Amino acid sequence: MEKVNTNNSTPFELTVKQGPPRLVPVAEETQKGLYFLSNLDQNIAVIVRTIYCFKSGDRGNDDVFSVVKDALSKILVHYYPLAGRLTVSSEMKLIVDCTGEGAVFVEAEAECELGELGDITKPDPVTLGKLVYDFPGAKHVLEIPPLVAQVTKFKCGGFVLGLCMNHCMFDGIGAMEFVNGWGEIARGNLLNSPPFMDRTILKARNPPKIEFPHHEFAEIEDISTSHKENNMVYRSFRFDSEKLEHLRETALADGTLKKCTTFEALSGFVWRARTEALDLKPDQETKLLFAVDGRSRFDPPIPNNYFGNAIVLTNALSKAGPLVENGPSFSVGLVQEAVRLVTDGYMRSAIDYFEATRARPSLASTLLITTWSRLSFGTTDFGWGPPVLSGPVALPEKEVILFLSHGREKKSINVLLGLPAPAMEKFEQLMEI
């Protein structure tokens, strides 16, 4: 299993000269007033930073600032809430005030060539953070505009688009629709698939009807004390198509499961291995959380071009003892049950649960798997061809594991996580398959 230490992966000091942040207004007059955010948006108001690296063999970066900026003002006509500002409604929920003041755009230049960045598929917040504009004085998300873009030119003619976006504006699928549409307009085309803007289709019922247990919100008592005082170590583990197929075959080997997907096999494997590596007490309850795309699971299905969060967190619970002691089919079976949970009734119940309780999912004794490997990062094209590299800027929180696609074919998956040093040593051994 190929592994990379992401703690010491910065071979050089990246120097970036940033210009002042400027507002890019909407190209046309758009709707003003308050724009509703659903309870699926409320739950996930975190800042997500991503970068896209472009380098064309036959086009330099002389006009990149104007091309990307002009296209941004045009795409904002369709995605006008991104030109507004977050505020709090009378119900004490997040809502967008569609002021039309614009998105933030920063022009920057790097003192090196793009190739010197190295492999950015392994997030490095110190280096890559310089490619995304931050608001250093911001105390909370209300003080950060929903969309902040930085374009950084490199000496080789390449450039990087760094985005800072609030997750409450859209999920990964919606964000990729937006970025790919932005690229379409930059290439002189009309927007192929305008967004579906009405988020009230995911409004809570009145009165709320909580029809399912929602353990994703449950606070689990942590009775295990091992490794708590140790420093976090970050590693990336690459699973190529052969290893992924091996995991699937292993999960099916005892005949308990009839079939399983790559995601189910990999999720069950890393949940079990992480639990074992952390040396949790056998009676320690553990929780697995991951997001399921609800677009096709709502009844009726919601449009594929829905502008907003249509993902719902589902969960699996197990005591550490059975999770580690049983074969792979046990953990993978729990993942499958969690996927099956996600029906229209379950999702509506989750929306209503937040309405009634304002609870946020708890990460105590929890592993949250975030899957970026299914997102169409490689299709974004502003006129310089698809990105040579793309991915998140930051390392995951200690309770989070990232699945990132790897390689030109996107058939390999990089699993990125942080663990206390002794636990990581054990986890590395468990990855040797």
Side-chain angles (χ1 to χ4, degrees):
M1 175 63 57
E2 184 180 347
K3 65 178 188 292
V4 181
N5 183 346
T6 61
N7 287 1
N8 303 305
S9 58
T10 311
F12 77 113
E13 176 81 20
L14 175 65
T15 304
V16 175
K17 188 178 167 192
Q18 288 177 324
R22 293 198 167 95
L23 288 175
V24 175
V26 190
E28 300 168 18
E29 191 65 30
T30 54
Q31 202 169 316
K32 298 289 191 290
L34 297 176
Y35 179 74
F36 172 80
L37 298 179
S38 84
N39 287 350
L40 297 183
D41 303 315
Q42 305 290 332
N43 248 339
I44 204 162
V46 295
I47 301 299
V48 180
R49 295 173 179 84
T50 49
I51 60 170
Y52 304 79
C53 305
F54 298 93
K55 175 90 164 67
S56 167
D58 52 12
R59 183 177 181 181
N61 60 17
D62 292 346
D63 60 346
V64 67
F65 292 150
S66 59
V67 169
V68 176
K69 192 161 50 177
D70 291 351
L72 177 57
S73 74
K74 290 172 184 167
I75 189 91
L76 288 174
V77 175
H78 303 278
Y79 288 88
Y80 62 87
L82 293 175
R85 296 296 179 263
L86 285 169
T87 186
V88 177
S89 73
S90 56
E91 295 179 322
M92 299 308 291
K93 285 186 184 178
L94 285 175
I95 196 165
V96 183
D97 186 4
C98 296
T99 58
E101 59 196 277
V104 174
F105 190 85
V106 175
E107 299 177 1
E109 300 203 21
E111 298 294 318
C112 66
E113 300 201 347
L114 197 52
E116 293 177 63
L117 280 181
D119 184 0
I120 66 108
T121 58
K122 299 162 190 75
D124 173 1
V126 175
T127 299
L128 304 184
K130 295 174 184 176
L131 301 170
V132 179
Y133 184 76
D134 253 333
F135 282 79
K139 298 180 193 69
H140 47 71
V141 294
L142 296 180
E143 294 182 2
I144 302 174
L147 172 63
V148 180
Q150 176 178 317
V151 173
T152 307
K153 287 182 178 181
F154 283 75
K155 291 194 176 298
C156 57
F159 70 94
V160 170
L161 172 64
L163 296 179
C164 170
M165 301 192 286
N166 195 311
H167 208 317
C168 73
M169 299 310 291
F170 27 41
D171 55 24
I173 293 168
M176 289 313 309
E177 286 266 319
F178 165 72
V179 176
N180 288 344
W182 183 1
E184 254 182 279
I185 290 175
R187 298 196 314 275
N189 301 324
L190 294 173
L191 188 61
N192 191 28
S193 175
F196 180 88
M197 301 296 289
D198 184 12
R199 300 193 190 198
T200 62
I201 61 171
L202 296 184
K203 226 175 184 166
R205 294 168 290 197
N206 190 10
K209 287 194 280 188
I210 301 165
E211 298 166 317
F212 292 83
H214 287 284
H215 299 300
E216 63 269 33
F217 298 96
E219 192 83 29
I220 296 175
E221 187 188 354
D222 187 355
I223 60 169
S224 299
T225 54
S226 55
H227 304 318
K228 281 193 178 168
E229 303 307 315
N230 285 290
N231 290 335
M232 294 293 284
V233 177
Y234 289 89
R235 296 279 190 275
S236 176
F237 299 89
R238 187 165 303 153
F239 289 80
D240 59 23
S241 52
E242 284 175 21
K243 289 194 173 78
L244 292 169
E245 183 55 32
H246 173 71
L247 288 183
R248 283 185 67 253
E249 288 171 358
T250 307
L252 297 170
D254 66 5
T256 307
L257 307 175
K258 297 289 173 277
K259 58 181 180 178
C260 80
T261 65
T262 297
F263 169 78
E264 291 162 353
L266 185 57
S267 298
F269 176 70
V270 296
W271 182 27
R272 184 174 178 238
R274 180 179 178 273
T275 303
E276 185 173 346
L278 284 169
D279 198 22
L280 300 181
K281 291 183 177 177
D283 279 348
Q284 171 70 61
E285 194 78 58
T286 70
K287 179 169 62 177
L288 175 69
L289 287 180
F290 57 91
V292 173
D293 178 22
R295 284 165 177 76
S296 63
R297 292 169 181 261
F298 278 105
D299 187 15
I302 64 173
N304 282 332
N305 56 343
Y306 176 74
F307 173 47
N309 286 279
I311 52 171
V312 178
L313 282 178
T314 185
N315 69 92
L317 293 171
S318 174
K319 283 190 162 53
L323 190 63
V324 170
E325 289 156 18
N326 282 297
S329 64
F330 180 78
S331 60
V332 174
L334 291 175
V335 174
Q336 289 186 343
E337 284 171 31
V339 173
R340 278 195 294 270
L341 265 181
V342 186
T343 60
D344 178 76
Y346 179 85
M347 294 186 290
R348 299 278 178 194
S349 177
I351 289 167
D352 290 2
Y353 188 94
F354 180 84
E355 190 70 17
T357 64
R358 300 297 171 93
R360 294 254 179 334
S362 167
L363 291 182
S365 299
T366 295
L367 169 61
L368 171 61
I369 292 177
T370 301
T371 309
W372 289 41
S373 51
R374 297 169 179 168
L375 301 178
S376 52
F377 280 107
T379 58
T380 302
D381 184 357
F382 286 86
W384 282 263
V388 288
L389 288 168
S390 58
V393 167
L395 294 162
E397 300 292 324
K398 64 179 172 34
E399 304 90 355
V400 178
I401 286 183
L402 280 177
F403 288 0
L404 301 162
S405 59
H406 180 82
R408 289 209 174 274
E409 303 283 306
K410 306 296 181 195
K411 287 181 179 170
S412 299
I413 294 178
N414 275 351
V415 174
L416 179 76
L417 77 158
L419 282 171
M424 184 60 83
E425 211 171 300
K426 190 167 183 184
F427 188 83
E428 285 178 7
Q429 293 165 8
L430 294 167
M431 292 298 103
E432 300 290 340
I433 59 166

